[in-house]
Amino acid sequence: MTQNYPNPFNPTTRIEFALPKSELTKLTIYDLLGREVQTLIDRELQAGYYDVNFDASRFTSGVYLYRIQSGNFTETKKLLLLK
């Protein structure tokens, strides 16, 4: 998974990732308190490259985390929303 672009962003950003094989995949946005604020993907995805847009126009400025879980793989990164 690459870092979202642009970062910092207002109000949309792109999250890109690749899957080597078909897996149940979940891409979730969290606030800094660990509360889930939005799920972008929660389904079986085929192997390949993906580009997901995150529209944060309804969120307040600040640092958020995004986590991808696919099979045994999990990765978390930060994103910064500046309004």
Side-chain angles (χ1 to χ4, degrees), residues 9-68:
F9 69 100
N10 178 26
T12 62
T13 189
R14 292 174 36 190
I15 300 170
E16 297 176 345
F17 61 94
L19 298 177
K21 60 183 181 175
S22 298
E23 293 277 7
L24 176 61
T25 302
K26 188 171 184 178
L27 178 58
T28 312
I29 309 294
Y30 297 91
D31 65 16
L32 278 182
L33 297 176
R35 296 178 296 209
E36 184 176 314
V37 295
Q38 187 170 349
T39 298
L40 301 176
I41 297 173
D42 189 7
R43 66 182 185 278
E44 179 91 17
L45 293 179
Q46 300 300 312
Y49 292 93
Y50 293 87
D51 182 353
V52 179
N53 287 315
F54 171 48
D55 182 352
S57 56
R58 64 185 181 100
F59 298 109
T60 59
S61 294
V63 176
Y64 292 86
L65 303 172
Y66 62 102
R67 175 184 297 157
I68 188 167

